[in-house]
Amino acid sequence: CGHRMHRAISIIQQHTTMHFLHQSDARTREREDRLRSFNRAVSHELKNRIQVIDGAARMLQEDGVLQSPEQLASFASMISRNATGMQETIQSLLELSRMETVAQRGRNVILPDAAAEAARVLREFAQARGVSAELDPSLPSVEVPAAAVELALTNYISNAIKYRDPGNRE
């Protein structure tokens, strides 16, 4: 009887251990997938800004292409806005890297405030593309990690502006 009991306990332990290992493996894969997705999003954001800066700088260097002072100012402003956007993205990444180690001291904001900040950052970009962006007043007043949510919203809104339907001005 004791031998059977010992064997049953051993089987339960093995099963429990295997179940734990499978769950751990699934969680690890999920985290790795989220990290890859996040890396793609950040790379996409930085790549787009670098391309805009590079294109605007090349236009400024071309002789005779930009003739009016307004055109020159517009391209210089484009370079400045995108360089500032890259700095903000990098600052957000640095803040995100610190969030895990100091989660209790991380800066949190109310979701509508994070959305308003993302919209503010992209206001000139939207105006340059002839788009108006309005915040939904029904956003819930929940506390969210500032860096992560602002980065995600900025990327989402930026893509919405870039890839909008030309017939729809909102």
Side-chain angles (χ1 to χ4, degrees), residues 63-133:
D63 289 331
V65 174
L66 302 176
Q67 298 180 2
S68 73
E70 293 84 18
Q71 288 176 324
L72 291 171
S74 173
F75 277 84
S77 175
M78 192 182 305
I79 290 171
S80 177
R81 277 193 318 269
N82 281 281
T84 300
M86 284 175 45
Q87 288 174 333
E88 290 170 354
T89 299
I90 290 170
Q91 186 60 38
S92 293
L93 286 172
L94 290 171
E95 191 170 325
L96 280 172
S97 69
R98 287 186 225 112
M99 280 176 63
E100 192 167 314
T101 57
V102 291
Q104 295 82 9
R105 293 182 285 163
R107 184 174 78 93
N108 290 334
V109 295
I110 303 301
L111 180 59
D113 294 342
E117 177 61 18
R120 183 196 66 75
V121 167
L122 295 168
R123 184 170 291 125
E124 288 181 27
F125 178 60
Q127 288 172 346
R129 297 260 178 153
V131 177
S132 66

Side-chain angles (χ1 to χ4, degrees), residues 40-52:
R40 280 191 301 273
V42 170
S43 298
H44 174 75
E45 176 71 18
L46 290 174
K47 182 185 84 165
N48 285 343
R49 290 191 180 276
I50 289 170
Q51 287 174 340
V52 169

Side-chain angles (χ1 to χ4, degrees), residues 26-59:
R27 277 185 290 213
T28 301
R29 271 193 306 246
E30 178 193 352
R31 287 179 182 155
E32 287 174 350
D33 289 344
R34 286 189 309 192
L35 182 59
R36 275 191 288 278
S37 177
F38 177 76
N39 285 340
R40 280 191 301 273
V42 170
S43 298
H44 174 75
E45 176 71 18
L46 290 174
K47 182 185 84 165
N48 285 343
R49 290 191 180 276
I50 289 170
Q51 287 174 340
V52 169
I53 290 171
D54 184 47
R58 287 174 192 251
M59 290 294 288

